[in-house]
Amino acid sequence: LRQEVSVTGRVKPSESVQLGFDKTGRIQNVYAKIGDRVFQGKVLVELFNQDLVSQLHEAEANLKAEKARLEELKRGARPEEILVQKAKVDDARKNLIDKVQDAYTKADDAIRNKVDQFFSNPRTANPQLNFSTDPQIETDLETGRVKIEAVLTSWLEVLSKTDFISQLSSLVQSSEKNLTQVRDFLNKAALAVNSLKPSASLTQSTIDTYRSDVSTARSNVNTALNNLSGANADWIISQNELLLKEAGSSAEEILGEEAKVEKAEASVKNIQAQIAKTLIVSPISGIVAKQEAKKGEIVAANQTLVSVISDAQFEIESNLPEADIAKVKVSDLARLTLDALGPDVVFEARVIEVDPAETVIEGVSTYKITLGFIKEDSRIKSGMTANIDILTQKKDNVIAIPQRAIIVKNGEKIVRVQNPDGSIAEVRVETGLEGQGGKIEIISGLEAGDKVIISRELD
């Protein structure tokens, strides 16, 4: 006996992104309009960035100058210069230690204060995200939170040891690795909170708080990572310069100057990264569905300007009547047809999401469900109407009769049965699953082989 729920729905893209800038600025150029097909990595909108371009030119000139000095170093150092350089090494080491400790503080605050507010049991082996998002992102965040907790715990243990300064180089490397893991985790958290929409259980104010806190956490961690990298480079440079002055060898001086060259290269890369933040770049290939950027307009940070939808993978959205919502659950299988392709082309799908909150349509409460196609098909297009049959329950080896054979008397369900001698008896029954084709399960009252009176002409 099969129980199915039949609904209609509409095909929509399975992947869409809302894009904006991380910083406030004036729009300089717009490179895409609604309906344009774009590829991953395509620049869609650009902010005014001439000041950064000038800084980049200056940094590139400094890089050239540092490279030129590699050919000029020939003389040794005086004792006074060596003493001064030792002091610089001590200062650089103290600064690096401060940056390592600050890096842990920023990472700890980003996770345990900023992110943990939308987790349940965040510091256990089974943290749970407090809202629904893309299943893969949700899984990544929950498993990632467990890993990050282990990272923070082991990191603190190292910093608590009195001899950690003697292992400063390896500690810096592990701290940079830890910060990178925290940064990557925060990037996924940003994807999750930036895609949130208000619901009965999640207000816009709460969403804004999540977004603001995650944005702050990302900024703090990125700053800590840059500061740690810069302090480490300064420490290395000061050590190399001291070696060069003590040795008085042009070969060692060249090594120090090479470190300066690396720092200059890092400065160039940093400004290039800032310029990249003045660009909206499509993270997926698809079609521009929204474009609200206007040349010359000043836009705020985190304001959605462009949306891009995928044109390769699709899902089906449907609104389920209130009477059927209790029957449908995630992972239920479904068969469907598309009006555009006719009733003979059948697709298989699976329920992947059921909204917990109702959607009122013309005064009637419905519940949005999302189904995913089990196999891709190039014939499927966004916006197509789907006719869906969801298999909600199935039972084997049951006794089932037509529902019209059920008679209700005095609040009890009665079935008329013909005895072997031809007489008619009324039997009280208990019913179960209501299936397709007007059949209903009989849990008790009848046995296989009983002759049931379906027609009510005897009334």
Side-chain angles (χ1 to χ4, degrees):
L1 192 64
R2 296 167 58 93
Q3 182 185 73
E4 293 182 348
V5 172
S6 297
V7 290
T8 60
R10 189 167 297 276
V11 176
K12 72 176 190 68
S14 64
E15 187 177 15
S16 63
V17 289
Q18 311 295 320
L19 304 173
F21 291 104
D22 288 341
K23 56 184 291 185
T24 300
R26 176 178 280 105
I27 295 175
Q28 178 170 283
N29 288 302
V30 178
Y31 298 107
K33 61 182 183 298
I34 293 177
D36 283 355
R37 187 179 299 277
V38 297
F39 54 85
Q40 183 178 357
K42 164 75 174 177
V43 177
L44 306 179
V45 187
E46 180 183 18
L47 291 180
F48 178 82
N49 56 16
Q50 292 304 310
D51 53 339
L52 291 173
V53 172
S54 297
Q55 293 177 32
L56 178 61
H57 292 161
E58 181 180 351
E60 290 173 338
N62 181 59
L63 176 59
K64 290 181 180 179
E66 294 293 354
K67 288 182 176 179
R69 291 190 185 100
L70 286 174
E71 305 299 327
E72 298 175 357
L73 297 176
K74 294 181 179 178
R75 69 177 181 85
R78 298 189 301 271
E80 295 82 2
E81 291 177 322
I82 293 176
L83 289 176
V84 171
Q85 190 58 42
K86 285 183 177 179
K88 289 183 179 179
V89 171
D90 289 339
D91 290 342
R93 183 176 65 252
K94 292 175 183 178
N95 182 55
L96 180 55
I97 293 171
D98 289 342
K99 292 301 183 288
V100 169
Q101 293 172 330
D102 182 68
Y104 170 78
T105 301
K106 292 293 193 301
D108 179 80
D109 176 72
I111 299 300
R112 293 173 173 166
N113 290 333
K114 300 294 192 300
V115 171
D116 280 358
Q117 62 181 312
F118 47 80
F119 273 92
S120 298
N121 305 316
R123 300 177 70 172
T124 68
N126 187 31
Q128 299 293 318
L129 202 59
N130 291 340
F131 53 76
S132 296
T133 183
D134 179 88
Q136 185 59 55
I137 294 179
E138 185 172 342
T139 299
D140 290 346
L141 285 175
E142 291 174 349
T143 56
R145 181 60 187 87
V146 176
K147 296 177 181 177
I148 292 297
E149 183 64 27
V151 167
L152 293 175
T153 301
S154 62
W155 196 356
L156 180 60
E157 289 177 356
V158 173
L159 292 176
S160 300
K161 296 179 180 179
T162 57
D163 63 341
F164 80 88
I165 296 177
S166 64
Q167 302 174 351
L168 190 54
S169 294
S170 61
L171 177 59
V172 170
Q173 293 180 0
S174 62
S175 297
E176 288 180 334
K177 179 180 178 182
N178 294 343
L179 276 177
T180 300
Q181 289 183 263
V182 172
R183 181 195 64 190
D184 294 344
F185 179 81
L186 290 174
N187 289 341
K188 289 186 178 179
L191 285 176
V193 299
N194 287 340
S195 66
L196 290 178
K197 295 182 179 178
S199 66
S201 60
L202 192 64
T203 65
Q204 185 63 51
S205 176
T206 299
I207 293 174
D208 291 341
T209 298
Y210 288 171
R211 290 174 177 172
S212 176
D213 287 349
V214 171
S215 178
T216 300
R218 293 173 72 193
S219 177
N220 290 344
V221 168
N222 283 329
T223 299
L225 190 56
N226 289 335
N227 290 344
L228 181 59
S229 177
N232 187 44
D234 289 340
W235 183 51
I236 293 173
I237 290 171
S238 66
Q239 287 179 305
N240 288 336
E241 287 179 343
L242 176 59
L243 290 174
L244 290 173
K245 291 183 183 296
E246 289 177 334
S249 170
S250 60
E252 285 77 6
E253 287 178 318
I254 290 175
L255 289 176
E257 189 57 39
E258 285 176 345
K260 288 185 178 181
V261 170
E262 290 178 1
K263 184 178 180 180
E265 289 174 341
S267 178
V268 170
K269 291 179 180 178
N270 179 51
I271 298 173
Q272 289 173 337
Q274 294 182 54
I275 291 176
K277 292 182 178 180
T278 67
L279 306 174
I280 291 180
V281 179
S282 178
I284 63 173
S285 296
I287 298 173
V288 177
K290 173 183 177 182
Q291 207 293 89
E292 296 183 349
K294 297 179 178 63
K295 187 174 181 178
E297 181 180 33
I298 295 178
V299 294
N302 299 319
Q303 175 185 347
T304 299
L305 296 175
V306 183
S307 66
V308 180
I309 62 173
S310 168
D311 60 351
Q313 296 179 333
F314 297 96
E315 296 174 346
I316 311 105
E317 276 190 359
S318 177
N319 290 301
L320 201 64
E322 183 178 1
D324 292 327
I325 186 61
K327 301 175 184 177
V328 177
K329 61 184 182 299
V330 173
S331 79
D332 280 347
L333 294 174
R335 293 169 64 84
L336 62 94
T337 60
L338 300 173
D339 285 353
L341 302 180
D344 296 330
V345 181
V346 180
F347 298 91
E348 293 183 337
R350 187 185 303 275
V351 177
I352 58 176
E353 185 177 352
V354 179
D355 277 10
E358 79 280 1
T359 300
V360 178
I361 300 177
E362 297 181 354
V364 178
S365 292
T366 63
Y367 293 81
K368 188 177 77 173
I369 64 171
T370 305
L371 300 95
F373 286 96
I374 292 178
K375 293 182 179 179
E376 293 185 22
D377 194 302
S378 60
R379 295 172 292 179
I380 301 171
K381 306 295 181 186
S382 179
M384 286 184 172
T385 299
N387 305 295
I388 312 160
D389 293 321
I390 305 171
L391 177 60
T392 58
Q393 196 172 354
K394 183 176 72 171
K395 287 188 177 181
D396 296 322
N397 301 318
V398 299
I399 295 176
I401 64 173
Q403 292 192 45
R404 65 180 184 275
I406 304 293
I407 303 170
V408 179
K409 283 188 176 182
N410 301 322
E412 295 183 339
K413 295 179 180 178
I414 302 297
V415 173
R416 289 174 173 170
V417 178
Q418 182 178 12
N419 294 321
D421 61 2
S423 62
I424 305 298
E426 292 185 346
V427 178
R428 186 172 65 85
V429 296
E430 181 183 356
T431 60
L433 179 68
E434 295 182 6
Q436 298 301 107
K439 293 291 186 71
I440 188 168
E441 177 189 9
I442 301 298
I443 297 176
S444 64
L446 295 178
E447 296 180 357
D450 286 348
K451 293 184 178 181
V452 175
I453 305 301
I454 297 175
S455 172
R456 298 187 180 180
E457 295 178 356
L458 295 177
D459 291 343

mmCIF file with all atom_site columns, all heavy atoms in Angstrom, residues 97-114:
data_model
loop_
_atom_site.group_PDB
_atom_site.id
_atom_site.type_symbol
_atom_site.label_atom_id
_atom_site.label_alt_id
_atom_site.label_comp_id
_atom_site.label_asym_id
_atom_site.label_entity_id
_atom_site.label_seq_id
_atom_site.pdbx_PDB_ins_code
_atom_site.Cartn_x
_atom_site.Cartn_y
_atom_site.Cartn_z
_atom_site.occupancy
_atom_site.B_iso_or_equiv
_atom_site.pdbx_formal_charge
_atom_site.auth_seq_id
_atom_site.auth_comp_id
_atom_site.auth_asym_id
_atom_site.auth_atom_id
_atom_site.pdbx_PDB_model_num
ATOM 1   N N   . ILE A 1 97  ? 56.524 38.038 19.545 1.00 0.00 ? 97  ILE A N   1
ATOM 2   C CA  . ILE A 1 97  ? 55.853 37.300 20.628 1.00 0.00 ? 97  ILE A CA  1
ATOM 3   C C   . ILE A 1 97  ? 54.483 37.920 20.918 1.00 0.00 ? 97  ILE A C   1
ATOM 4   O O   . ILE A 1 97  ? 53.476 37.215 21.098 1.00 0.00 ? 97  ILE A O   1
ATOM 5   C CB  . ILE A 1 97  ? 56.734 37.297 21.891 1.00 0.00 ? 97  ILE A CB  1
ATOM 6   C CG1 . ILE A 1 97  ? 57.998 36.469 21.656 1.00 0.00 ? 97  ILE A CG1 1
ATOM 7   C CG2 . ILE A 1 97  ? 55.960 36.735 23.085 1.00 0.00 ? 97  ILE A CG2 1
ATOM 8   C CD1 . ILE A 1 97  ? 59.024 36.584 22.760 1.00 0.00 ? 97  ILE A CD1 1
ATOM 9   N N   . ASP A 1 98  ? 54.437 39.253 20.944 1.00 0.00 ? 98  ASP A N   1
ATOM 10  C CA  . ASP A 1 98  ? 53.153 39.935 21.160 1.00 0.00 ? 98  ASP A CA  1
ATOM 11  C C   . ASP A 1 98  ? 52.160 39.585 20.054 1.00 0.00 ? 98  ASP A C   1
ATOM 12  O O   . ASP A 1 98  ? 50.977 39.347 20.319 1.00 0.00 ? 98  ASP A O   1
ATOM 13  C CB  . ASP A 1 98  ? 53.361 41.451 21.194 1.00 0.00 ? 98  ASP A CB  1
ATOM 14  C CG  . ASP A 1 98  ? 54.086 41.915 22.449 1.00 0.00 ? 98  ASP A CG  1
ATOM 15  O OD1 . ASP A 1 98  ? 54.115 41.143 23.436 1.00 0.00 ? 98  ASP A OD1 1
ATOM 16  O OD2 . ASP A 1 98  ? 54.638 43.037 22.437 1.00 0.00 ? 98  ASP A OD2 1
ATOM 17  N N   . LYS A 1 99  ? 52.652 39.531 18.819 1.00 0.00 ? 99  LYS A N   1
ATOM 18  C CA  . LYS A 1 99  ? 51.754 39.247 17.691 1.00 0.00 ? 99  LYS A CA  1
ATOM 19  C C   . LYS A 1 99  ? 51.268 37.803 17.728 1.00 0.00 ? 99  LYS A C   1
ATOM 20  O O   . LYS A 1 99  ? 50.132 37.511 17.343 1.00 0.00 ? 99  LYS A O   1
ATOM 21  C CB  . LYS A 1 99  ? 52.473 39.522 16.364 1.00 0.00 ? 99  LYS A CB  1
ATOM 22  C CG  . LYS A 1 99  ? 52.775 41.008 16.123 1.00 0.00 ? 99  LYS A CG  1
ATOM 23  C CD  . LYS A 1 99  ? 51.511 41.828 16.116 1.00 0.00 ? 99  LYS A CD  1
ATOM 24  C CE  . LYS A 1 99  ? 51.786 43.306 15.809 1.00 0.00 ? 99  LYS A CE  1
ATOM 25  N NZ  . LYS A 1 99  ? 52.438 43.976 16.944 1.00 0.00 ? 99  LYS A NZ  1
ATOM 26  N N   . VAL A 1 100 ? 52.124 36.862 18.193 1.00 0.00 ? 100 VAL A N   1
ATOM 27  C CA  . VAL A 1 100 ? 51.686 35.467 18.329 1.00 0.00 ? 100 VAL A CA  1
ATOM 28  C C   . VAL A 1 100 ? 50.581 35.380 19.375 1.00 0.00 ? 100 VAL A C   1
ATOM 29  O O   . VAL A 1 100 ? 49.544 34.725 19.161 1.00 0.00 ? 100 VAL A O   1
ATOM 30  C CB  . VAL A 1 100 ? 52.870 34.568 18.723 1.00 0.00 ? 100 VAL A CB  1
ATOM 31  C CG1 . VAL A 1 100 ? 52.364 33.178 19.131 1.00 0.00 ? 100 VAL A CG1 1
ATOM 32  C CG2 . VAL A 1 100 ? 53.847 34.438 17.569 1.00 0.00 ? 100 VAL A CG2 1
ATOM 33  N N   . GLN A 1 101 ? 50.786 36.022 20.518 1.00 0.00 ? 101 GLN A N   1
ATOM 34  C CA  . GLN A 1 101 ? 49.774 35.982 21.574 1.00 0.00 ? 101 GLN A CA  1
ATOM 35  C C   . GLN A 1 101 ? 48.500 36.707 21.142 1.00 0.00 ? 101 GLN A C   1
ATOM 36  O O   . GLN A 1 101 ? 47.390 36.261 21.437 1.00 0.00 ? 101 GLN A O   1
ATOM 37  C CB  . GLN A 1 101 ? 50.349 36.602 22.847 1.00 0.00 ? 101 GLN A CB  1
ATOM 38  C CG  . GLN A 1 101 ? 51.495 35.770 23.453 1.00 0.00 ? 101 GLN A CG  1
ATOM 39  C CD  . GLN A 1 101 ? 52.183 36.463 24.599 1.00 0.00 ? 101 GLN A CD  1
ATOM 40  O OE1 . GLN A 1 101 ? 52.249 37.690 24.639 1.00 0.00 ? 101 GLN A OE1 1
ATOM 41  N NE2 . GLN A 1 101 ? 52.713 35.686 25.534 1.00 0.00 ? 101 GLN A NE2 1
ATOM 42  N N   . ASP A 1 102 ? 48.677 37.817 20.433 1.00 0.00 ? 102 ASP A N   1
ATOM 43  C CA  . ASP A 1 102 ? 47.505 38.534 19.929 1.00 0.00 ? 102 ASP A CA  1
ATOM 44  C C   . ASP A 1 102 ? 46.752 37.716 18.892 1.00 0.00 ? 102 ASP A C   1
ATOM 45  O O   . ASP A 1 102 ? 45.518 37.755 18.815 1.00 0.00 ? 102 ASP A O   1
ATOM 46  C CB  . ASP A 1 102 ? 47.944 39.863 19.316 1.00 0.00 ? 102 ASP A CB  1
ATOM 47  C CG  . ASP A 1 102 ? 46.776 40.679 18.805 1.00 0.00 ? 102 ASP A CG  1
ATOM 48  O OD1 . ASP A 1 102 ? 45.970 41.148 19.625 1.00 0.00 ? 102 ASP A OD1 1
ATOM 49  O OD2 . ASP A 1 102 ? 46.653 40.837 17.574 1.00 0.00 ? 102 ASP A OD2 1
ATOM 50  N N   . ALA A 1 103 ? 47.495 36.951 18.097 1.00 0.00 ? 103 ALA A N   1
ATOM 51  C CA  . ALA A 1 103 ? 46.855 36.090 17.089 1.00 0.00 ? 103 ALA A CA  1
ATOM 52  C C   . ALA A 1 103 ? 45.939 35.076 17.755 1.00 0.00 ? 103 ALA A C   1
ATOM 53  O O   . ALA A 1 103 ? 44.807 34.844 17.313 1.00 0.00 ? 103 ALA A O   1
ATOM 54  C CB  . ALA A 1 103 ? 47.916 35.383 16.254 1.00 0.00 ? 103 ALA A CB  1
ATOM 55  N N   . TYR A 1 104 ? 46.419 34.468 18.848 1.00 0.00 ? 104 TYR A N   1
ATOM 56  C CA  . TYR A 1 104 ? 45.567 33.505 19.568 1.00 0.00 ? 104 TYR A CA  1
ATOM 57  C C   . TYR A 1 104 ? 44.338 34.215 20.132 1.00 0.00 ? 104 TYR A C   1
ATOM 58  O O   . TYR A 1 104 ? 43.206 33.705 20.041 1.00 0.00 ? 104 TYR A O   1
ATOM 59  C CB  . TYR A 1 104 ? 46.339 32.828 20.698 1.00 0.00 ? 104 TYR A CB  1
ATOM 60  C CG  . TYR A 1 104 ? 45.419 32.026 21.595 1.00 0.00 ? 104 TYR A CG  1
ATOM 61  C CD1 . TYR A 1 104 ? 44.960 30.770 21.206 1.00 0.00 ? 104 TYR A CD1 1
ATOM 62  C CD2 . TYR A 1 104 ? 44.951 32.553 22.798 1.00 0.00 ? 104 TYR A CD2 1
ATOM 63  C CE1 . TYR A 1 104 ? 44.078 30.055 21.991 1.00 0.00 ? 104 TYR A CE1 1
ATOM 64  C CE2 . TYR A 1 104 ? 44.068 31.843 23.591 1.00 0.00 ? 104 TYR A CE2 1
ATOM 65  C CZ  . TYR A 1 104 ? 43.632 30.590 23.181 1.00 0.00 ? 104 TYR A CZ  1
ATOM 66  O OH  . TYR A 1 104 ? 42.755 29.887 23.959 1.00 0.00 ? 104 TYR A OH  1
ATOM 67  N N   . THR A 1 105 ? 44.550 35.410 20.731 1.00 0.00 ? 105 THR A N   1
ATOM 68  C CA  . THR A 1 105 ? 43.430 36.139 21.320 1.00 0.00 ? 105 THR A CA  1
ATOM 69  C C   . THR A 1 105 ? 42.367 36.458 20.269 1.00 0.00 ? 105 THR A C   1
ATOM 70  O O   . THR A 1 105 ? 41.169 36.278 20.504 1.00 0.00 ? 105 THR A O   1
ATOM 71  C CB  . THR A 1 105 ? 43.937 37.441 21.959 1.00 0.00 ? 105 THR A CB  1
ATOM 72  O OG1 . THR A 1 105 ? 44.902 37.127 22.967 1.00 0.00 ? 105 THR A OG1 1
ATOM 73  C CG2 . THR A 1 105 ? 42.790 38.218 22.597 1.00 0.00 ? 105 THR A CG2 1
ATOM 74  N N   . LYS A 1 106 ? 42.822 36.931 19.104 1.00 0.00 ? 106 LYS A N   1
ATOM 75  C CA  . LYS A 1 106 ? 41.873 37.265 18.031 1.00 0.00 ? 106 LYS A CA  1
ATOM 76  C C   . LYS A 1 106 ? 41.139 36.010 17.537 1.00 0.00 ? 106 LYS A C   1
ATOM 77  O O   . LYS A 1 106 ? 39.930 36.045 17.280 1.00 0.00 ? 106 LYS A O   1
ATOM 78  C CB  . LYS A 1 106 ? 42.619 37.911 16.862 1.00 0.00 ? 106 LYS A CB  1
ATOM 79  C CG  . LYS A 1 106 ? 43.190 39.294 17.165 1.00 0.00 ? 106 LYS A CG  1
ATOM 80  C CD  . LYS A 1 106 ? 42.114 40.320 17.374 1.00 0.00 ? 106 LYS A CD  1
ATOM 81  C CE  . LYS A 1 106 ? 42.685 41.754 17.346 1.00 0.00 ? 106 LYS A CE  1
ATOM 82  N NZ  . LYS A 1 106 ? 43.703 41.989 18.353 1.00 0.00 ? 106 LYS A NZ  1
ATOM 83  N N   . ALA A 1 107 ? 41.864 34.912 17.390 1.00 0.00 ? 107 ALA A N   1
ATOM 84  C CA  . ALA A 1 107 ? 41.235 33.666 16.922 1.00 0.00 ? 107 ALA A CA  1
ATOM 85  C C   . ALA A 1 107 ? 40.237 33.157 17.953 1.00 0.00 ? 107 ALA A C   1
ATOM 86  O O   . ALA A 1 107 ? 39.128 32.730 17.616 1.00 0.00 ? 107 ALA A O   1
ATOM 87  C CB  . ALA A 1 107 ? 42.308 32.615 16.646 1.00 0.00 ? 107 ALA A CB  1
ATOM 88  N N   . ASP A 1 108 ? 40.617 33.181 19.237 1.00 0.00 ? 108 ASP A N   1
ATOM 89  C CA  . ASP A 1 108 ? 39.735 32.714 20.307 1.00 0.00 ? 108 ASP A CA  1
ATOM 90  C C   . ASP A 1 108 ? 38.463 33.560 20.350 1.00 0.00 ? 108 ASP A C   1
ATOM 91  O O   . ASP A 1 108 ? 37.353 33.036 20.468 1.00 0.00 ? 108 ASP A O   1
ATOM 92  C CB  . ASP A 1 108 ? 40.480 32.797 21.640 1.00 0.00 ? 108 ASP A CB  1
ATOM 93  C CG  . ASP A 1 108 ? 39.610 32.345 22.802 1.00 0.00 ? 108 ASP A CG  1
ATOM 94  O OD1 . ASP A 1 108 ? 39.486 31.125 22.992 1.00 0.00 ? 108 ASP A OD1 1
ATOM 95  O OD2 . ASP A 1 108 ? 39.045 33.209 23.509 1.00 0.00 ? 108 ASP A OD2 1
ATOM 96  N N   . ASP A 1 109 ? 38.613 34.884 20.243 1.00 0.00 ? 109 ASP A N   1
ATOM 97  C CA  . ASP A 1 109 ? 37.444 35.767 20.268 1.00 0.00 ? 109 ASP A CA  1
ATOM 98  C C   . ASP A 1 109 ? 36.560 35.542 19.039 1.00 0.00 ? 109 ASP A C   1
ATOM 99  O O   . ASP A 1 109 ? 35.328 35.515 19.142 1.00 0.00 ? 109 ASP A O   1
ATOM 100 C CB  . ASP A 1 109 ? 37.914 37.221 20.305 1.00 0.00 ? 109 ASP A CB  1
ATOM 101 C CG  . ASP A 1 109 ? 36.752 38.196 20.234 1.00 0.00 ? 109 ASP A CG  1
ATOM 102 O OD1 . ASP A 1 109 ? 36.007 38.313 21.221 1.00 0.00 ? 109 ASP A OD1 1
ATOM 103 O OD2 . ASP A 1 109 ? 36.569 38.819 19.177 1.00 0.00 ? 109 ASP A OD2 1
ATOM 104 N N   . ALA A 1 110 ? 37.196 35.358 17.873 1.00 0.00 ? 110 ALA A N   1
ATOM 105 C CA  . ALA A 1 110 ? 36.425 35.164 16.639 1.00 0.00 ? 110 ALA A CA  1
ATOM 106 C C   . ALA A 1 110 ? 35.544 33.927 16.705 1.00 0.00 ? 110 ALA A C   1
ATOM 107 O O   . ALA A 1 110 ? 34.386 33.959 16.286 1.00 0.00 ? 110 ALA A O   1
ATOM 108 C CB  . ALA A 1 110 ? 37.380 35.054 15.446 1.00 0.00 ? 110 ALA A CB  1
ATOM 109 N N   . ILE A 1 111 ? 36.087 32.847 17.265 1.00 0.00 ? 111 ILE A N   1
ATOM 110 C CA  . ILE A 1 111 ? 35.331 31.582 17.312 1.00 0.00 ? 111 ILE A CA  1
ATOM 111 C C   . ILE A 1 111 ? 34.409 31.524 18.517 1.00 0.00 ? 111 ILE A C   1
ATOM 112 O O   . ILE A 1 111 ? 33.191 31.347 18.400 1.00 0.00 ? 111 ILE A O   1
ATOM 113 C CB  . ILE A 1 111 ? 36.303 30.386 17.317 1.00 0.00 ? 111 ILE A CB  1
ATOM 114 C CG1 . ILE A 1 111 ? 37.159 30.382 16.036 1.00 0.00 ? 111 ILE A CG1 1
ATOM 115 C CG2 . ILE A 1 111 ? 35.524 29.078 17.434 1.00 0.00 ? 111 ILE A CG2 1
ATOM 116 C CD1 . ILE A 1 111 ? 36.377 30.288 14.756 1.00 0.00 ? 111 ILE A CD1 1
ATOM 117 N N   . ARG A 1 112 ? 34.965 31.697 19.697 1.00 0.00 ? 112 ARG A N   1
ATOM 118 C CA  . ARG A 1 112 ? 34.197 31.434 20.925 1.00 0.00 ? 112 ARG A CA  1
ATOM 119 C C   . ARG A 1 112 ? 33.256 32.562 21.324 1.00 0.00 ? 112 ARG A C   1
ATOM 120 O O   . ARG A 1 112 ? 32.360 32.342 22.131 1.00 0.00 ? 112 ARG A O   1
ATOM 121 C CB  . ARG A 1 112 ? 35.165 31.119 22.060 1.00 0.00 ? 112 ARG A CB  1
ATOM 122 C CG  . ARG A 1 112 ? 35.892 29.781 21.828 1.00 0.00 ? 112 ARG A CG  1
ATOM 123 C CD  . ARG A 1 112 ? 36.968 29.533 22.843 1.00 0.00 ? 112 ARG A CD  1
ATOM 124 N NE  . ARG A 1 112 ? 37.532 28.170 22.696 1.00 0.00 ? 112 ARG A NE  1
ATOM 125 C CZ  . ARG A 1 112 ? 38.660 27.773 23.259 1.00 0.00 ? 112 ARG A CZ  1
ATOM 126 N NH1 . ARG A 1 112 ? 39.362 28.620 24.025 1.00 0.00 ? 112 ARG A NH1 1
ATOM 127 N NH2 . ARG A 1 112 ? 39.108 26.539 23.081 1.00 0.00 ? 112 ARG A NH2 1
ATOM 128 N N   . ASN A 1 113 ? 33.466 33.765 20.780 1.00 0.00 ? 113 ASN A N   1
ATOM 129 C CA  . ASN A 1 113 ? 32.552 34.861 21.084 1.00 0.00 ? 113 ASN A CA  1
ATOM 130 C C   . ASN A 1 113 ? 31.678 35.234 19.888 1.00 0.00 ? 113 ASN A C   1
ATOM 131 O O   . ASN A 1 113 ? 30.469 35.385 20.028 1.00 0.00 ? 113 ASN A O   1
ATOM 132 C CB  . ASN A 1 113 ? 33.334 36.101 21.543 1.00 0.00 ? 113 ASN A CB  1
ATOM 133 C CG  . ASN A 1 113 ? 33.957 35.906 22.917 1.00 0.00 ? 113 ASN A CG  1
ATOM 134 O OD1 . ASN A 1 113 ? 33.458 35.138 23.732 1.00 0.00 ? 113 ASN A OD1 1
ATOM 135 N ND2 . ASN A 1 113 ? 35.058 36.583 23.181 1.00 0.00 ? 113 ASN A ND2 1
ATOM 136 N N   . LYS A 1 114 ? 32.310 35.359 18.714 1.00 0.00 ? 114 LYS A N   1
ATOM 137 C CA  . LYS A 1 114 ? 31.564 35.837 17.547 1.00 0.00 ? 114 LYS A CA  1
ATOM 138 C C   . LYS A 1 114 ? 30.763 34.730 16.859 1.00 0.00 ? 114 LYS A C   1
ATOM 139 O O   . LYS A 1 114 ? 29.613 34.927 16.480 1.00 0.00 ? 114 LYS A O   1
ATOM 140 C CB  . LYS A 1 114 ? 32.534 36.453 16.527 1.00 0.00 ? 114 LYS A CB  1
ATOM 141 C CG  . LYS A 1 114 ? 33.343 37.646 17.052 1.00 0.00 ? 114 LYS A CG  1
ATOM 142 C CD  . LYS A 1 114 ? 32.474 38.829 17.355 1.00 0.00 ? 114 LYS A CD  1
ATOM 143 C CE  . LYS A 1 114 ? 33.283 40.117 17.589 1.00 0.00 ? 114 LYS A CE  1
ATOM 144 N NZ  . LYS A 1 114 ? 34.216 40.026 18.699 1.00 0.00 ? 114 LYS A NZ  1
#
